[in-house]
């Protein structure tokens, strides 16, 4: 199985293939790097929010969230720090992610969406590790990745790409809503044995 994990930035994509992370600056080169992949996990929203309002959510912020963002909080206790906006309000890195999703789908792939911070939280016993901008936070993430990957980096975008590759490699599980009127968004997390 050739699993690929991708961390998306506005101008750079960190792509983890077989525990090696390379930096790409354009969507076409990322698609080329994914040729032959059996599963691809992307740290970026798969699509912008529709703008539909969800009744009865915990906070006004989540009233316009995608279903996967609400489900991750409801089912696992992993509440994203911000929700994906509509296309008009999406920042550059999210637009780069949408373009990547479209290109990979156009190349015949069916990527999955991941939230690495939530994955690290889950692997850390449902506790947030220290901030990844600190040496202590990066060391904690490296320790959480070590059982799954051979080469562990010290750069936070690369750590997120490696976590995405861990989820792509599996085993992993899907979190999302499946009811009438729900979007088809889902976030995938690594199986730890105590998910639900």
């Amino acid at each position: 199985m050739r699993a690929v994990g991708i961390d998306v930035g506005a101008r750079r994509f960190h792509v983890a293939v077989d525990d090696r992370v390379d930096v790409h600056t354009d969507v076409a080169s990322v698609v080329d790097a994914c040729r032959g992949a059996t599963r691809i996990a992307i740290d970026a929203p798969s699509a912008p929010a529709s703008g539909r309002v969800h009744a009865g959510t915990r906070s006004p912020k989540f009233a316009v969230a995608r279903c996967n963002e609400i489900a991750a909080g409801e089912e696992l206790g992993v509440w994203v720090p911000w929700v994906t906006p509509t296309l008009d309000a999406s920042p550059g890195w999210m637009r780069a992610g949408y373009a990547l999703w479209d290109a990979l789908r156009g190349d015949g792939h069916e990527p999955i969406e991941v939230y690495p911070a939530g994955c690290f939280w889950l692997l850390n016993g449902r506790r947030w590790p220290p901030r990844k901008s600190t040496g202590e936070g990066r060391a904690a993430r490296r320790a959480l990745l070590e059982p799954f990957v051979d080469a562990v980096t010290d750069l936070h975008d690369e750590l997120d790409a490696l976590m995405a590759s861990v989820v792509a490699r599996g085993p992993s599980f899907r979190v999302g809503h499946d009811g009438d009127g729900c979007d088809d968004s889902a976030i995938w997390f690594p199986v730890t044995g105590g998910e639900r």
Side-chain angles (χ1 to χ4, degrees):
M1 177 179 193
R2 187 166 181 253
V4 178
I6 304 169
D7 179 75
V8 175
R11 294 184 182 90
R12 296 187 313 180
F13 303 87
H14 289 81
V15 180
V17 180
D18 300 327
D19 298 346
R20 175 185 165 156
V21 181
D22 291 314
V23 178
H24 298 263
T25 57
D26 62 276
V27 168
S29 69
V30 176
V31 171
D32 285 343
C34 291
R35 293 261 155 68
T38 55
R39 197 159 190 212
I40 302 167
I42 303 174
D43 176 17
S46 58
S50 67
R52 177 171 93 57
V53 176
H54 299 266
T57 55
R58 290 179 63 162
S59 75
K61 171 173 94 171
F62 285 92
V64 294
R66 294 176 309 142
C67 291
N68 62 349
E69 295 160 345
I70 297 169
E74 291 173 341
E75 295 176 29
L76 293 179
V78 180
W79 294 97
V80 297
W82 66 85
V83 298
T84 303
T86 59
L87 181 59
D88 299 5
S90 293
W93 75 270
M94 285 187 186
R95 289 173 183 263
Y98 305 149
L100 178 61
W101 278 89
D102 289 345
L104 286 169
R105 287 173 176 144
D107 200 47
H109 298 285
E110 294 181 25
I112 60 173
E113 183 176 333
V114 295
Y115 173 42
C119 296
F120 284 116
W121 174 87
L122 192 62
L123 289 176
N124 197 42
R126 295 177 181 255
R127 294 182 321 272
W128 292 108
R131 295 175 57 91
K132 69 180 174 182
S133 59
T134 67
E136 182 184 9
R138 290 187 299 278
R141 284 163 179 77
R142 279 194 312 275
L144 292 166
L145 284 168
E146 281 176 356
F148 305 101
V149 299
D150 291 329
V152 180
T153 178
D154 195 41
L155 302 173
H156 70 270
D157 291 331
E158 292 182 5
L159 290 167
D160 286 350
L162 286 168
M163 177 55 78
S165 74
V166 166
V167 175
R169 193 175 304 148
S172 55
F173 66 98
R174 173 191 183 276
V175 175
H177 288 158
D178 296 315
D180 291 338
C182 292
D183 61 38
D184 63 355
S185 64
I187 299 175
W188 292 74
F189 293 89
V191 170
T192 66
E195 286 70 42
R196 299 177 190 204

